Amino acid sequence: MTAWALRHVQKIVDELAARIISGELAPGVRVPSAAELVATYNLASTQALWIWRQLKRRRLIRLDPSVGLVVGNPGEEWTSFYSARMEERIVAVSDHLAARIRDGEIAVHERVGTQRELRARYQVSDEVAEVAKCRLEYLGWAYSVPYRGTFAAPCEDWPIHRPVPIPANASRRQGNHLAEHRRPDVSRVLA
């Protein structure tokens, strides 16, 4: 997706999110289908799926097994679709990754890990690795760049704001993980 297309799709996500939060799209109402999104906004079908994914990550839509994707109540706690054991693994992996970010093992703006790396490191399924990264992003420890990966968020975006000690091995690394708190130039990455 080009930088222009990404901005266009993100604008649509923000517009739909605003409609849901304002109550224009009431809870329980079916979300526009991929075909409707494609026709309305002149998108590719993959972009429509990306819009759904972003709304699900914001917890604004949910899957109702009898209807399909529907609008959820913003801020409502939903029951997990995963088994208790799978949920435990998701929480364990994302909490461990958050601790590694907080302790400086994963530097700010450094890739958290690919799905393959997380699967091998934690001995989990692809789905657990993907959902753990989504949870990490939802909690504020990471951010995603489409088609590039999930990266550690700057410390001012972390859910816990407290002084973070610089690890002893920071001098051996290339740069200090707290030295720069801005996001990378996404336009260069996505071009």
Side-chain angles (χ1 to χ4, degrees):
M1 200 177 326
T2 65
W4 179 88
L6 179 62
R7 281 192 303 271
H8 177 65
V9 171
Q10 190 60 48
K11 192 168 116 180
I12 295 167
V13 169
D14 292 340
E15 176 187 318
L16 289 172
R19 288 176 61 194
I20 291 169
I21 292 169
S22 71
E24 185 179 334
L25 291 175
V29 172
R30 197 160 188 276
V31 176
S33 68
E36 291 170 342
L37 289 173
V38 167
T40 304
Y41 297 105
N42 194 23
L43 302 171
S45 58
T46 55
Q47 292 171 329
L49 297 176
W50 193 81
I51 290 171
W52 280 351
R53 184 176 179 193
Q54 294 304 309
L55 292 172
K56 281 180 15 183
R57 280 186 174 174
R58 293 183 187 188
R59 299 183 74 90
L60 295 173
I61 64 173
R62 62 183 169 81
L63 179 66
D64 183 343
S66 62
V67 180
L69 286 174
V70 296
V71 174
N73 290 325
E76 169 189 332
E77 282 299 319
W78 298 342
T79 57
S80 177
F81 292 111
Y82 305 108
S83 68
R85 179 171 175 184
M86 193 170 176
E87 184 73 27
E88 288 172 10
R89 293 184 119 186
I90 291 167
V91 170
V93 170
S94 60
D95 286 351
H96 186 260
L97 288 170
R100 289 182 63 210
I101 292 169
R102 185 180 55 244
D103 295 342
E105 287 181 50
I106 301 175
V108 172
H109 305 303
E110 183 181 323
R111 185 186 302 263
V112 170
T114 64
Q115 212 152 317
R116 178 180 284 168
E117 291 167 350
L118 296 179
R119 189 180 67 216
R121 180 181 181 118
Y122 297 104
Q123 298 297 306
V124 294
S125 68
D126 276 340
E127 186 172 10
V128 168
E130 175 65 23
V131 175
K133 287 194 302 184
C134 291
R135 182 175 186 269
L136 198 65
E137 186 177 347
Y138 177 74
L139 293 174
W141 291 105
Y143 64 93
S144 291
V145 177
Y147 305 110
R148 298 295 182 228
T150 303
F151 302 89
C155 36
E156 62 264 11
D157 293 344
W158 295 354
I160 301 170
H161 296 288
R162 61 180 164 200
V164 179
I166 298 173
N169 65 351
S171 61
R172 288 192 297 265
R173 273 203 236 159
Q174 193 171 14
N176 180 347
H177 79 285
L178 297 175
E180 196 169 11
H181 298 300
R182 61 182 175 78
R183 292 184 187 241
D185 183 10
V186 178
S187 61
R188 285 185 305 135
V189 174
L190 297 176

